[in-house]
PDB file of all heavy atoms in Angstrom:
ATOM      1  N   ASP I 120     -14.277  22.187  11.147  1.00 98.00           N
ATOM      2  CA  ASP I 120     -14.080  22.214  12.600  1.00 98.00           C
ATOM      3  C   ASP I 120     -14.251  20.818  13.159  1.00 98.00           C
ATOM      4  O   ASP I 120     -14.319  19.828  12.417  1.00 98.00           O
ATOM      5  CB  ASP I 120     -15.027  23.211  13.284  1.00 98.00           C
ATOM      6  CG  ASP I 120     -16.513  22.877  13.116  1.00 98.00           C
ATOM      7  OD1 ASP I 120     -16.852  21.711  12.787  1.00 98.00           O
ATOM      8  OD2 ASP I 120     -17.341  23.782  13.319  1.00 98.00           O
ATOM      9  N   ALA I 121     -14.329  20.722  14.481  1.00 98.00           N
ATOM     10  CA  ALA I 121     -14.361  19.427  15.159  1.00 98.00           C
ATOM     11  C   ALA I 121     -15.571  18.597  14.771  1.00 98.00           C
ATOM     12  O   ALA I 121     -15.506  17.355  14.755  1.00 98.00           O
ATOM     13  CB  ALA I 121     -14.336  19.632  16.679  1.00 98.00           C
ATOM     14  N   ASP I 122     -16.681  19.237  14.440  1.00 98.00           N
ATOM     15  CA  ASP I 122     -17.877  18.489  14.058  1.00 98.00           C
ATOM     16  C   ASP I 122     -17.612  17.606  12.840  1.00 98.00           C
ATOM     17  O   ASP I 122     -18.131  16.488  12.744  1.00 98.00           O
ATOM     18  CB  ASP I 122     -19.040  19.443  13.745  1.00 98.00           C
ATOM     19  CG  ASP I 122     -19.580  20.135  14.982  1.00 98.00           C
ATOM     20  OD1 ASP I 122     -19.557  19.519  16.065  1.00 98.00           O
ATOM     21  OD2 ASP I 122     -20.008  21.300  14.865  1.00 98.00           O
ATOM     22  N   ASP I 123     -16.813  18.069  11.925  1.00 98.00           N
ATOM     23  CA  ASP I 123     -16.525  17.308  10.705  1.00 98.00           C
ATOM     24  C   ASP I 123     -15.671  16.076  11.012  1.00 98.00           C
ATOM     25  O   ASP I 123     -15.888  15.009  10.434  1.00 98.00           O
ATOM     26  CB  ASP I 123     -15.820  18.207   9.699  1.00 98.00           C
ATOM     27  CG  ASP I 123     -16.609  19.471   9.409  1.00 98.00           C
ATOM     28  OD1 ASP I 123     -17.764  19.354   8.963  1.00 98.00           O
ATOM     29  OD2 ASP I 123     -16.068  20.560   9.649  1.00 98.00           O
ATOM     30  N   VAL I 124     -14.711  16.220  11.902  1.00 98.00           N
ATOM     31  CA  VAL I 124     -13.881  15.080  12.296  1.00 98.00           C
ATOM     32  C   VAL I 124     -14.729  14.020  12.985  1.00 98.00           C
ATOM     33  O   VAL I 124     -14.667  12.828  12.659  1.00 98.00           O
ATOM     34  CB  VAL I 124     -12.735  15.543  13.215  1.00 98.00           C
ATOM     35  CG1 VAL I 124     -11.898  14.345  13.664  1.00 98.00           C
ATOM     36  CG2 VAL I 124     -11.867  16.564  12.515  1.00 98.00           C
ATOM     37  N   VAL I 125     -15.526  14.452  13.933  1.00 98.00           N
ATOM     38  CA  VAL I 125     -16.379  13.515  14.667  1.00 98.00           C
ATOM     39  C   VAL I 125     -17.333  12.803  13.715  1.00 98.00           C
ATOM     40  O   VAL I 125     -17.497  11.577  13.775  1.00 98.00           O
ATOM     41  CB  VAL I 125     -17.168  14.267  15.765  1.00 98.00           C
ATOM     42  CG1 VAL I 125     -18.224  13.352  16.383  1.00 98.00           C
ATOM     43  CG2 VAL I 125     -16.219  14.783  16.838  1.00 98.00           C
ATOM     44  N   ALA I 126     -17.960  13.559  12.825  1.00 98.00           N
ATOM     45  CA  ALA I 126     -18.932  12.959  11.905  1.00 98.00           C
ATOM     46  C   ALA I 126     -18.274  11.950  10.972  1.00 98.00           C
ATOM     47  O   ALA I 126     -18.840  10.896  10.669  1.00 98.00           O
ATOM     48  CB  ALA I 126     -19.627  14.055  11.097  1.00 98.00           C
ATOM     49  N   THR I 127     -17.072  12.256  10.493  1.00 98.00           N
ATOM     50  CA  THR I 127     -16.380  11.339   9.572  1.00 98.00           C
ATOM     51  C   THR I 127     -16.093  10.007  10.240  1.00 98.00           C
ATOM     52  O   THR I 127     -16.400   8.936   9.692  1.00 98.00           O
ATOM     53  CB  THR I 127     -15.073  11.971   9.078  1.00 98.00           C
ATOM     54  OG1 THR I 127     -15.360  13.173   8.359  1.00 98.00           O
ATOM     55  CG2 THR I 127     -14.326  11.009   8.164  1.00 98.00           C
ATOM     56  N   TYR I 128     -15.512  10.045  11.422  1.00 98.00           N
ATOM     57  CA  TYR I 128     -15.142   8.791  12.084  1.00 98.00           C
ATOM     58  C   TYR I 128     -16.357   8.032  12.606  1.00 98.00           C
ATOM     59  O   TYR I 128     -16.376   6.800  12.589  1.00 98.00           O
ATOM     60  CB  TYR I 128     -14.127   9.070  13.195  1.00 98.00           C
ATOM     61  CG  TYR I 128     -12.737   9.264  12.635  1.00 98.00           C
ATOM     62  CD1 TYR I 128     -12.259  10.534  12.311  1.00 98.00           C
ATOM     63  CD2 TYR I 128     -11.918   8.173  12.373  1.00 98.00           C
ATOM     64  CE1 TYR I 128     -11.005  10.715  11.763  1.00 98.00           C
ATOM     65  CE2 TYR I 128     -10.654   8.343  11.822  1.00 98.00           C
ATOM     66  CZ  TYR I 128     -10.207   9.614  11.515  1.00 98.00           C
ATOM     67  OH  TYR I 128      -8.965   9.776  10.968  1.00 98.00           O
ATOM     68  N   ARG I 129     -17.384   8.759  13.029  1.00 98.00           N
ATOM     69  CA  ARG I 129     -18.603   8.063  13.445  1.00 98.00           C
ATOM     70  C   ARG I 129     -19.278   7.386  12.256  1.00 98.00           C
ATOM     71  O   ARG I 129     -19.858   6.306  12.394  1.00 98.00           O
ATOM     72  CB  ARG I 129     -19.558   9.040  14.132  1.00 98.00           C
ATOM     73  CG  ARG I 129     -19.112   9.430  15.531  1.00 98.00           C
ATOM     74  CD  ARG I 129     -20.108  10.356  16.219  1.00 98.00           C
ATOM     75  NE  ARG I 129     -19.691  10.665  17.581  1.00 98.00           N
ATOM     76  CZ  ARG I 129     -20.323  11.506  18.392  1.00 98.00           C
ATOM     77  NH1 ARG I 129     -21.433  12.132  17.968  1.00 98.00           N
ATOM     78  NH2 ARG I 129     -19.878  11.743  19.622  1.00 98.00           N
ATOM     79  N   ALA I 130     -19.189   7.998  11.089  1.00 98.00           N
ATOM     80  CA  ALA I 130     -19.760   7.367   9.895  1.00 98.00           C
ATOM     81  C   ALA I 130     -19.022   6.071   9.555  1.00 98.00           C
ATOM     82  O   ALA I 130     -19.631   5.087   9.133  1.00 98.00           O
ATOM     83  CB  ALA I 130     -19.712   8.334   8.716  1.00 98.00           C
ATOM     84  N   VAL I 131     -17.706   6.063   9.717  1.00 98.00           N
ATOM     85  CA  VAL I 131     -16.938   4.839   9.473  1.00 98.00           C
ATOM     86  C   VAL I 131     -17.364   3.739  10.431  1.00 98.00           C
ATOM     87  O   VAL I 131     -17.500   2.567  10.045  1.00 98.00           O
ATOM     88  CB  VAL I 131     -15.429   5.127   9.611  1.00 98.00           C
ATOM     89  CG1 VAL I 131     -14.627   3.827   9.623  1.00 98.00           C
ATOM     90  CG2 VAL I 131     -14.940   6.029   8.478  1.00 98.00           C
ATOM     91  N   LEU I 132     -17.605   4.096  11.700  1.00 97.00           N
ATOM     92  CA  LEU I 132     -17.968   3.105  12.713  1.00 97.00           C
ATOM     93  C   LEU I 132     -19.422   2.654  12.610  1.00 97.00           C
ATOM     94  O   LEU I 132     -19.764   1.568  13.091  1.00 97.00           O
ATOM     95  CB  LEU I 132     -17.723   3.683  14.108  1.00 97.00           C
ATOM     96  CG  LEU I 132     -16.271   4.002  14.478  1.00 97.00           C
ATOM     97  CD1 LEU I 132     -16.223   4.613  15.874  1.00 97.00           C
ATOM     98  CD2 LEU I 132     -15.411   2.753  14.419  1.00 97.00           C
ATOM     99  N   ASP I 133     -20.278   3.453  12.006  1.00 97.00           N
ATOM    100  CA  ASP I 133     -21.710   3.145  11.944  1.00 97.00           C
ATOM    101  C   ASP I 133     -21.950   1.914  11.063  1.00 97.00           C
ATOM    102  O   ASP I 133     -21.645   1.925   9.866  1.00 97.00           O
ATOM    103  CB  ASP I 133     -22.460   4.344  11.371  1.00 97.00           C
ATOM    104  CG  ASP I 133     -23.974   4.176  11.407  1.00 97.00           C
ATOM    105  OD1 ASP I 133     -24.438   3.065  11.760  1.00 97.00           O
ATOM    106  OD2 ASP I 133     -24.677   5.149  11.080  1.00 97.00           O
ATOM    107  N   PRO I 134     -22.527   0.843  11.620  1.00 96.00           N
ATOM    108  CA  PRO I 134     -22.772  -0.355  10.810  1.00 96.00           C
ATOM    109  C   PRO I 134     -23.642  -0.088   9.586  1.00 96.00           C
ATOM    110  O   PRO I 134     -23.530  -0.792   8.571  1.00 96.00           O
ATOM    111  CB  PRO I 134     -23.471  -1.302  11.794  1.00 96.00           C
ATOM    112  CG  PRO I 134     -23.067  -0.830  13.150  1.00 96.00           C
ATOM    113  CD  PRO I 134     -22.919   0.655  13.028  1.00 96.00           C
TER     114      PRO I 134
END
Side-chain angles (χ1 to χ4, degrees):
D120 62 19
D122 290 327
D123 305 302
V124 178
V125 171
T127 298
Y128 281 93
R129 286 182 177 176
V131 169
L132 295 178
D133 186 353

